Amino acid sequence: MSDARDGRVGGDASDVSAGSSSEDRLVGRRIDRREDAELLTGRATYTDDLSADAAHLAFVRSPVGHGRIESIDASEAEGMGDVLGVYEWDDIDASPSPGVLPIRTESLDCEVPGHPVLARDRIRYEGQPVAAVVAEDRYVARDAVEAVDVRYETRPAVVDPAEATEAGAPTLYDGVPNNVALDAELGDEAATEEAFAAADRVVELELVNNRLIASALEPRAALARYDADRGQFTVEMTSQSPHGHRRKLSETLGVDEGRVRVVVPRVGGGFGHKGHHHPGEAMAAWCARELYRPVKWTATRSENYREGAHARDHRTSAELAVDDDGSVRGLRVDTRAAVGGYGLGGGASMPAWYGRLLSSQYRIPAIHCRTRAVFTNTAPVHSYRGAGRPEAIYVTERLMDVVADELGIDPVELRRRNLVGPEEFPYETAVGASYDSGDYETALDEALDAIGYDEARDRAGEPADDGRYRGVGVACFTESTGGGFERGVVRVRPDGSVVVFAGTHSHGQGHETTYAQLVADELGVPYDDVEVVEGDTDDTPDGTGTFGSRSTITGGSAVVESARDVLREARSVAAGRLGVDAADVVSEAGAFRVVGRPERSVSFAAVARAAVESEEGEARSENGSDADGDAAVAFEASTRYEPDGTAYAFGTHAARVAVDAETGAVEVERYVAVDDCGERVNPTIVEGQVHGGVAQGIGQARSEGAAYGDDGTLLTDSMLSYALPRATSVPDIETRATVTPSPRNPIGVKGIGEAGTIAAPPTVVNAVVDALSPLGIRHVDMPLTEENVLDAIRETDGA
Ligand code: MCN
């Protein structure tokens, strides 16, 4: 392990070429993101910027949370000028397309029919699309939506996942009693019972993990075309997973995957929900075929909030069994996780993502977790930055603080006594996670040092001079990153320039910069000579996408492996030119040299040129054709890479807060993040990822929360009512890093994209509860709004 609390070690890389010596390496350097000039000056093209003489799609959406459609009268809308078509389920049913977004029933306990792109007759959440209107312009389309008269029969709704499992609650599906889509267990129940029986005490905690809505600045959008002669769809859309969307669109449209090309321009944030399959994009494609016209759809903010997948929404009963000396013996967790009206899954409710992380950084000999995924009359729940891992870490890290309080042990000391030690890796947890590498205590100590922990704890328990209570909170975490496969193609043109194609899709992460750093290093070519292309399913034949903090591990390793293959081939061409064996040639700073004879060398570009001029190269160039239409390819390699197991990132975050007990106002005064994501390709990008994630995590802790009325009406359907964090609610975020490489991929990396959303909620809640502990407060559920904090104070006063 090496401490990487470094300062800035480099800036712009425009005149940098990599070499084999470690000080020349691009990986590890703070190179400015090459995509930023375009993004920050507004020159970037997003889906809604594309026009293509498109007609415009708009939806009639259900105002009812649970019910049935009694009738639809579209005659007035159909008669409006410039309206090209009004469609309802019967039109889909009569078409060659199934028109259903498949639900991954293989991971559920029940058979449910999938999410129809337009409601069949049953309505299961407010905002569900009921009819679609296509018109010459988007304003006419929206006016026509108003003219469609739909009658509904309303039914009692259920929006809370705990209430939904109670006897007598309204049910969403026939044959799914108590709305339980999945009832899954993880860990050894008998061993956990034994551990509980043997422990000195058991501490219980009831927790709500609040429902969140992804609020990417760019709402979801699609522009679909249909080429009737070729039977080919082209869908330009907002996506984190072009190949995933190609597969899902082809299923909904009822065509082979090869008949769908997905092209993704710049994406203005996704946070998980743009990896998910929604009705809007599929309907745009369906309408394009129906009308033989390009059809465009851009969600309004409120549509995005009502139909776009939501996140979290757990109700959990948790118990920790401990001895009086603070040794943790067992953990028992029972969670009801909302999946919304259509059970679309995603990490939050899936035991493999949620329960698997419950051990956090601790040696917990026995864990048992029951997770029930529960249908509710709410928007579908899917992955949102963290996807199951924030929910798990929140349970364990809140429990650690509550237990510490009951035992009268400092919360950091309690954690320290139970940490997995650096010599224990690979470490198998009681819930089946295999941690690859880690040095948890060093990261913890860094965080304590940075936040000034001892000084912060040393307070009188009385409000300070400004009348506010002060508190400090710490949370340790692990995070499963990587998973699945990715394909990376590295192509060298005859002039020695390089194009990298990857199946991932950056929507704010900066892959164009980091993949170029990785490949330039491997090939020893200038950074500026490496171009990175993502987001077109025709360019990269296969891929999985960007989510789960997996791109660097999987996509990065795939492009690195391809670069290594290319380098091997290039070295053998260089050896031919130099008249020596390939074993006697080394690659160094953009050239190949004969070992021991540095004056005998040939440049990488000359080798690329020689490759196309050779017989073998000519054959290669005839077969190859690159994305620019330039047929000449000097070298090309394609790798399908699957990591050798999961890489577990980790860290400790700490915060100091001030709480006004008169008003309930919480201020996060300082925030420190110590993260370990193995080797850091670009420390500036890593820190940017941490900043963004922490801001979102503070948002969850302080203010965000999707609220539904009892009838299933979304009350927070705009940015006025859904309280995102603002600049004033997020302090300067201080970052530090430790570096513990992962042995499970060739570049030693772990993911970083979600760490902030995992660590920040328990860090902030722990700090606020610490601040309010003189008032006898043991727990406050998120979000820590003034109202919730005051309620907690009043309840304790009452007691
Ligand atoms: N990185 C690095 N060194 C590492 C790990 C990562 O330099 N050891 C760099 C990467 O090369 C990449 C970035 O950090 O440029 C994030 O990498 P990674 O952790 O592999 O995560 P992904 O690229 O797979 O991104 C996914 C993750 C997720 S799941 C969500 S949700 C998310 C996020 O990243 N949504 C985002 N970050 C976001 N950032 C922005 N701006 N917008 C979003 O919607």
Side-chain angles (χ1 to χ4, degrees):
M1 223 235 37
S2 67
D3 186 351
R5 246 186 315 147
D6 54 6
R8 178 168 278 269
V9 288
D12 198 305
S14 50
D15 60 354
V16 176
S17 37
S20 52
S21 67
S22 58
E23 59 276 17
D24 290 338
R25 279 172 59 80
L26 292 161
V27 168
R29 293 187 65 164
R30 293 179 177 276
I31 296 170
D32 293 339
R33 300 198 325 171
R34 54 164 62 155
E35 42 276 85
D36 280 351
E38 186 188 308
L39 296 175
L40 296 175
T41 55
R43 277 184 284 117
T45 302
Y46 296 89
T47 303
D48 193 51
D49 296 325
L50 308 167
S51 65
D53 185 29
H56 290 263
L57 167 66
F59 288 96
V60 178
R61 294 181 181 278
S62 168
V64 165
H66 195 192
R68 271 189 60 251
I69 300 170
E70 279 181 345
S71 63
I72 301 178
D73 179 358
S75 50
E76 188 186 333
E78 280 163 345
M80 288 169 70
D82 283 348
V83 168
L84 302 170
V86 182
Y87 306 106
E88 54 190 88
W89 171 256
D90 289 347
D91 300 301
I92 308 280
D93 206 24
S95 79
S97 299
V100 173
L101 317 176
I103 291 181
R104 292 167 12 198
T105 45
E106 73 280 4
S107 54
L108 301 179
D109 288 342
C110 55
E111 283 294 323
V112 283
H115 188 339
V117 288
L118 297 175
R120 276 197 194 89
D121 68 337
R122 188 76 175 259
I123 302 294
R124 294 191 173 87
Y125 65 93
E126 191 231 356
Q128 183 169 350
V130 166
V133 176
V134 183
E136 288 291 350
D137 88 35
R138 70 174 65 176
Y139 304 102
V140 173
R142 286 186 193 156
D143 286 347
V145 160
E146 300 293 317
V148 178
D149 184 18
V150 186
R151 300 285 151 108
Y152 300 92
E153 170 206 305
T154 56
R155 295 187 176 184
V158 62
V159 298
D160 178 289
E163 287 170 16
T165 60
E166 283 165 14
T171 50
L172 275 76
Y173 290 91
D174 296 339
V176 185
N178 305 114
N179 297 305
V180 176
L182 169 78
D183 191 345
E185 293 183 52
L186 209 58
D188 186 332
E189 188 171 17
T192 308
E193 255 171 43
E194 267 175 42
F196 271 69
D200 290 338
R201 67 172 83 194
V202 171
V203 177
E204 297 173 12
L205 189 60
E206 296 290 320
L207 294 156
V208 173
N209 204 299
N210 40 334
R211 174 177 274 255
L212 302 182
I213 309 181
S215 300
L217 278 183
E218 179 204 27
R220 287 174 17 252
L223 169 62
R225 294 167 230 256
Y226 182 67
D227 179 337
D229 296 332
R230 294 166 55 226
Q232 179 77 30
F233 290 92
T234 300
V235 185
E236 290 169 282
M237 63 184 285
T238 53
S239 172
Q240 303 174 208
S241 171
H243 292 88
H245 273 122
R246 177 175 69 170
R247 191 179 64 254
K248 290 168 190 164
L249 283 168
S250 74
E251 286 176 37
T252 301
L253 294 165
V255 296
D256 291 342
E257 257 187 72
R259 298 265 171 228
V260 181
R261 175 182 179 192
V262 171
V263 181
V264 185
R266 289 288 183 200
V267 178
F271 309 117
H273 90 301
K274 286 180 185 162
H276 167 54
H277 192 32
H278 292 88
E281 297 84 338
M283 261 318 278
W286 187 91
C287 292
R289 181 176 58 192
E290 197 67 16
L291 293 166
Y292 297 114
R293 267 287 290 276
V295 172
K296 181 167 158 182
W297 171 72
T298 303
T300 62
R301 177 62 57 190
S302 129
E303 271 186 302
N304 218 64
Y305 273 19
R306 289 159 84 209
E307 175 196 278
H310 293 187
R312 318 278 196 258
D313 209 3
H314 280 198
R315 305 290 178 277
T316 293
S317 305
E319 299 166 281
L320 202 67
V322 281
D323 286 341
D324 289 336
D325 67 358
S327 309
V328 176
R329 282 178 173 267
L331 170 62
R332 191 152 47 204
V333 175
D334 185 349
T335 294
R336 280 167 285 185
V339 292
Y342 285 91
L344 293 158
S349 60
M350 293 301 147
W353 284 69
Y354 167 61
R356 196 77 82 207
L357 256 248
L358 281 166
S359 206
S360 187
Q361 296 187 357
Y362 312 111
R363 236 179 286 107
I364 307 182
I367 303 178
H368 180 254
C369 173
R370 178 183 185 196
T371 313
R372 274 168 284 177
V374 181
F375 289 119
T376 47
N377 291 118
T378 59
V381 175
H382 197 54
S383 318
Y384 170 71
R385 204 168 190 175
R389 290 98 102 227
E391 293 90 324
I393 295 298
Y394 185 66
V395 171
T396 310
E397 292 302 311
R398 278 298 299 129
L399 267 173
M400 290 305 267
D401 264 35
V402 173
V403 166
D405 185 47
E406 294 214 2
L407 293 176
I409 300 176
D410 180 278
V412 165
E413 180 54 28
L414 178 71
R415 286 176 169 81
R416 208 185 280 285
R417 288 183 197 173
N418 290 284
L419 288 178
V420 174
E423 68 294 343
E424 294 181 74
F425 294 92
Y427 181 81
E428 307 292 325
T429 72
V431 268
S434 168
Y435 295 167
D436 53 335
S437 62
D439 184 346
Y440 299 154
E441 198 161 14
T442 302
L444 173 63
D445 286 336
E446 283 287 336
L448 301 180
D449 174 55
I451 202 77
Y453 185 76
D454 292 336
E455 184 249 331
R457 289 287 291 177
D458 190 20
R459 68 198 192 292
E462 292 296 321
D465 292 345
D466 63 2
R468 297 189 296 172
Y469 288 86
R470 294 299 194 282
V472 61
V474 166
C476 303
F477 71 99
T478 52
E479 179 193 358
S480 45
T481 61
F485 80 90
E486 207 49 68
R487 188 172 287 282
V489 175
V490 172
R491 178 178 298 160
V492 180
R493 298 192 186 105
D495 64 356
S497 64
V498 180
V499 200
V500 175
F501 299 95
T504 47
H505 196 269
S506 184
H507 47 284
Q509 291 85 354
H511 298 166
E512 280 167 64
T513 302
T514 47
Y515 288 176
Q517 287 177 260
L518 287 164
V519 170
D521 260 359
E522 293 300 325
L523 296 179
V525 300
Y527 166 79
D528 279 344
D529 284 1
V530 183
E531 180 192 339
V532 176
V533 176
E534 289 182 311
D536 187 334
T537 53
D538 272 9
D539 284 341
T540 320
D542 211 356
T544 304
T546 289
F547 52 87
S549 300
R550 62 185 300 281
S551 303
T552 315
I553 295 170
T554 53
S557 297
V559 300
V560 161
E561 293 287 6
S562 287
R564 289 177 184 173
D565 287 346
V566 159
L567 191 69
R568 260 188 293 278
E569 220 188 313
R571 182 185 286 127
S572 92
V573 173
R577 291 264 300 195
L578 293 164
V580 296
D581 282 349
D584 294 328
V585 173
V586 287
S587 122
E588 242 175 47
F592 293 95
R593 297 177 203 287
V594 177
V595 179
R597 304 274 310 274
E599 74 287 359
R600 291 195 57 203
S601 72
V602 55
S603 72
F604 186 84
V607 170
R609 173 65 57 201
V612 281
E613 282 165 0
S614 71
E615 237 172 71
E616 193 193 330
E618 271 161 21
R620 198 173 21 238
S621 117
E622 272 160 29
N623 296 332
S625 74
D626 72 19
D628 310 322
D630 172 2
V633 175
F635 303 107
E636 178 166 311
S638 173
T639 305
R640 185 186 190 280
Y641 175 79
E642 203 164 337
D644 186 15
T646 303
Y648 285 84
F650 64 90
T652 297
H653 289 201
R656 290 171 79 155
V657 299
V659 185
D660 187 330
E662 297 289 317
T663 63
V666 168
E667 184 189 351
V668 182
E669 296 188 301
R670 281 192 62 202
Y671 195 98
V672 168
V674 179
D675 283 279
D676 193 319
C677 58
E679 298 292 352
R680 295 182 301 167
V681 180
N682 185 326
T684 303
I685 290 184
V686 166
E687 288 165 6
Q689 287 292 308
V690 172
H691 281 217
V694 167
Q696 283 178 289
I698 290 178
Q700 165 159 31
R702 291 263 284 99
S703 58
E704 288 184 51
Y708 277 92
D710 290 342
D711 61 353
T713 305
L714 180 63
L715 306 174
T716 49
D717 69 346
S718 78
M719 283 186 176
L720 279 178
S721 45
Y722 184 80
L724 290 168
R726 298 176 180 205
T728 51
S729 45
V730 181
D732 280 348
I733 297 160
E734 302 159 48
T735 51
R736 291 190 185 185
T738 59
V739 176
T740 313
S742 174
R744 293 184 178 159
N745 60 71
I747 43 181
V749 292
K750 303 178 177 196
I752 192 63
E754 296 159 293
T757 54
I758 296 170
T763 302
V764 172
V765 176
N766 285 348
V768 168
V769 174
D770 181 52
L772 295 175
S773 59
L775 303 179
I777 285 179
R778 181 179 183 259
H779 177 69
V780 190
D781 276 322
M782 299 184 291
L784 303 170
T785 56
E786 282 82 346
E787 191 183 0
N788 287 348
V789 170
L790 282 183
D791 280 351
I793 293 172
R794 279 193 211 106
E795 277 165 28
T796 315
D797 277 356

